[in-house]
Amino acid sequence: MGTTASAAPQPVSEASPLEGVHGNGMADSRQSLSMSPFQTVSIHNNKAKSIITNKVAPVVITYNCRQEFQIHDEIVKTNYKVGRISDALPEHYLVQGEYFMVQDVYSKADVLNTTGSHGAPNFRQVGGSYPLYGMGQPSLNGFQHVLQRLQAQGHQEVIFFCVREEPVVFLHKGEDFVPYTPRRKENLHENLHGLEKEELVEKLELTIRKELHDFAKLNDDVFYVYNDIEHFKDEPQKISIASEEDIHVTEEVYKRPVFTMPAYRYYRLPLPTEGAPLEEDFDAFVSILRESPGLSLGRGGSRPLPALLFNCQVGVGRTNLAMILGTLVLNRLRDDPQPHVEEEAASKSKQLFQVIQCLIRKLPNGQQVMEEVDRAISLCSEMHNIKEAIYENKSKLEGIGEDYQIQGSSTKDYFLHRTMQSLERYFYLIAFNAYLREQHPLAFVSNFSQWMCSHAWLYRLLARMDLSELSAPAELVTRGARVLVADECLAPDVLSTVKEMKAANFRRVPKMPIYGMAQPTSEDFDQLLEAMKSSLAEDSHSAFVFNCSNGKGRTTTAMVVSVLTLWHFNGFPEFGDDEFVSVPDAKYTKGEFEVVMQLVRLLPDGHRMKREVDMALDSVSETMTPMHYHLREIIICTYRQIKSGKTEKESQQLLLRSLQYLERYIYLILFNTYLHLEKKDSWRRSFTLWMEQVAARAGVYDILNQLGFSEFENPRDTALARLRCRWQQQNIHSLPFRGEFI
């Protein structure tokens, strides 16, 4: 055979695929038809060709028999799709079956007008004297221009970070290679996000390059792209692609300079467009710092700092965040403080959010840590000020009177989300700076993920960012915005105890003065409260009463805690042998999940710690059979319901609930361990402090930070396995925003 080429299955027609316009006048995408064993198809110059299939591969023989090539099997199997943006525009092939290729950056986006002079849009240096730069997306020639300018300024060592997570390819256009990105028809201004891993992005770019080359081969070496998605004047544009060499991927553009600049290095560090980066994003950044001698404390005072260069699409949001991170790092290497700027002084006059106040109170040198972050934000604020964005979103949120819809959701929800995301980003910058102050002198013996787990109270704070309900005015009730509901209607009296005890689901732990109930009326509460007037220290016969809304989950937890505490005061009862349970999921109804047993192996005398908790749960749940609630059983029962969820949202809620039950069970085991280990000191150290000072160092939060049912699925496949996401979800309000964001 001759040379090989690739082609896709096409409809039997001699017309160009771009001419097959549907008559319904609607934007569409349609799938190409498969080829029959012997067909005439339209490939290259629309000249008729015969396809003769055999058992090895289809063979294409041109009309004059001078050309002959095979069609790759993988291409034959590929169902390429064609589509168009509107009935006024032609049809053409779609990348990945749904995306249009759009020029990445428009001239209007270059607010600083630096493309011509510096090679990239919005090119700038951080305020002060740090060799730290940010920019938008350059072309190939533009990027070379940027590097030449940095070299001319005396920067021999350049560390370049591309912080984009979306795929970008560079297409040959004139004497340059211009960046294009795949975008959906529904929003041609928005790039693809949520791809997460660098490997996926790099692989996707290679796949897109191959597709573009194949598409061009099927259409006279031409592919269609879009430069003007505002007015669509003269769109789409034809671009010539004769070979894959006419297409560059990001890695090719950014890595090749290392051959002419020995001290140049390139990293792809994807950052989110909203909110704070994930812990592993910070870890990736720290890993780069570890392997950069020019950024270590031992670099020597005479060695100049390397130039740090960051870029995203326009050079604003993600680039701004990365520049702040770079500034915080360089702060650790320079003794001379960077100058204060006016924006920093203005931000000090604004009242701090409560979550930030709590954060800086608890962090060592918290006020100084925050001020360093504020200074870094101000130095990088030429294009965007992260801290000011919080107050701007807060002002818009609180200024909304009657709610209305924007982008498919309520306006208040939209601006509440924006406020929360910008505040989260600021929170993480302060936390990361605290980490740098501690770990940079130690050459980063712990990465950021480990440090956050050892300071898990940060996640608790983060989950309580929205305290707006605390400021909701009482007039919401008087004008009907909120409705008062009798609480007992939400707590069915399954145990039928209202008639006798005046409280729903009232129960007692056998042979112990511990009671549980649902929410009583105020009068009933006064009567039950009399039983708690004497403390256990004064009277060992004191009774304890606990309640929650329905007398089940939280009440059961509190009752178990009190049972364990009383056992530690008065001695443990005799435990019988473990019963042999022969029912479905018996292993899991006994609480023997892999993650639980991992904890058991970690704890001193872990099997005993778990067994005592199990006995306490059994004693508390002995009278609860009609309520069908036992913490160990409900963990697996709730998880099994996930498959029956009617919607993705419902399934996620069931997963969250099952993980919360599992976490609650683990905390009971940890609490029992605390009671044992701290008993010698009469529990002078609180359980909270013990978790921070002892359990965290032992790796308990590392276990909780990858919580899941590894027997059935990989916990890494869901964000809920992480403390950050799980605890935040637990505190999301279902009520609409009222009051003030404090």
Side-chain angles (χ1 to χ4, degrees), residues 2-289:
T3 58
T4 59
S6 56
Q10 292 297 303
V12 182
S13 169
E14 292 190 9
S16 165
L18 303 174
E19 295 172 319
V21 180
H22 289 224
N24 58 9
M26 296 178 61
D28 67 272
S29 63
R30 58 186 175 84
Q31 188 168 324
S32 303
L33 303 175
S34 300
M35 289 184 283
S36 62
F38 187 86
Q39 296 179 347
T40 301
V41 297
S42 120
I43 305 180
H44 302 311
N45 302 321
N46 299 322
K47 296 179 180 177
K49 300 162 182 70
S50 299
I51 292 186
I52 305 172
T53 59
N54 55 38
K55 294 181 180 180
V56 179
V59 177
V60 176
I61 304 177
T62 60
Y63 72 103
N64 56 10
C65 296
R66 291 181 181 175
Q67 300 176 29
E68 176 183 309
F69 55 90
Q70 284 186 343
I71 302 176
H72 292 311
D73 282 348
E74 59 178 322
I75 302 301
V76 170
K77 296 174 184 176
T78 301
N79 294 317
Y80 288 147
K81 291 184 180 180
V82 293
R84 55 186 175 179
I85 291 176
S86 71
D87 58 347
L89 299 176
E91 254 183 355
H92 54 79
Y93 293 103
L94 302 180
V95 170
Q96 296 286 286
E98 59 177 319
Y99 303 124
F100 298 83
M101 296 303 295
V102 179
Q103 185 167 313
D104 193 38
V105 182
Y106 307 101
S107 57
K108 291 182 180 179
D110 185 13
V111 177
L112 300 183
N113 196 27
T114 58
T115 301
S117 58
H118 292 75
N122 299 318
F123 183 90
R124 62 200 183 276
Q125 182 177 2
V126 70
S129 59
Y130 286 158
L132 203 153
Y133 305 86
M135 64 181 182
Q137 181 63 58
S139 66
L140 172 60
N141 289 349
F143 183 60
Q144 292 172 348
H145 187 188
V146 169
L147 294 182
Q148 289 167 3
R149 284 186 63 91
L150 292 178
Q151 283 184 304
Q153 293 173 9
H155 299 299
Q156 297 305 311
E157 184 178 4
V158 177
I159 305 177
F160 173 54
F161 298 85
C162 173
V163 297
R164 305 188 67 170
E165 61 175 338
E166 63 271 22
V168 182
V169 294
F170 297 75
L171 303 183
H172 195 185
K173 195 173 182 182
E175 300 298 320
D176 200 358
F177 281 78
V178 179
Y180 284 82
T181 53
R183 300 181 190 174
R184 293 182 177 87
K185 178 178 64 179
E186 294 76 16
N187 193 343
L188 292 171
H189 293 275
E190 186 175 319
N191 288 314
L192 306 183
H193 297 295
L195 301 176
E196 297 181 3
K197 301 298 182 184
E198 175 187 350
E199 294 78 12
L200 292 179
V201 180
E202 303 287 4
K203 184 177 180 181
L204 182 55
E205 289 180 353
L206 292 172
T207 301
I208 291 172
R209 173 163 71 179
K210 186 177 185 309
E211 279 192 336
L212 294 178
H213 179 236
D214 289 339
F215 294 158
K217 287 301 177 188
L218 294 171
N219 192 45
D220 296 339
D221 292 344
V222 167
F223 185 70
Y224 289 81
V225 297
Y226 293 83
N227 297 340
D228 176 14
I229 56 174
E230 294 291 339
H231 308 98
F232 292 96
K233 183 180 180 181
D234 300 325
E235 299 292 340
Q237 299 281 320
K238 290 183 179 181
I239 197 161
S240 176
I241 301 176
S243 68
E244 287 195 12
E245 293 178 4
D246 288 325
I247 310 167
H248 287 346
V249 295
T250 301
E251 190 175 35
E252 291 172 322
V253 172
Y254 292 152
K255 270 195 174 179
R256 287 176 177 172
V258 74
F259 289 96
T260 55
M261 297 175 60
Y264 167 86
R265 279 178 294 146
Y266 158 69
Y267 300 95
R268 192 160 194 165
L269 182 70
L271 295 179
T273 55
E274 292 184 321
L278 295 175
E279 282 73 5
E280 48 262 43
D281 297 331
F282 286 104
D283 291 343
F285 186 51
V286 169
S287 178
I288 296 168
L289 301 180

Side-chain angles (χ1 to χ4, degrees), residues 595 659 662-663 666 703-709 715 720-721 726:
V595 66
L659 288 171
L662 180 60
E663 187 172 16
I666 287 175
I703 294 175
L704 291 172
N705 201 37
Q706 45 187 343
L707 187 66
F709 300 91
L720 290 173
R726 191 168 65 251

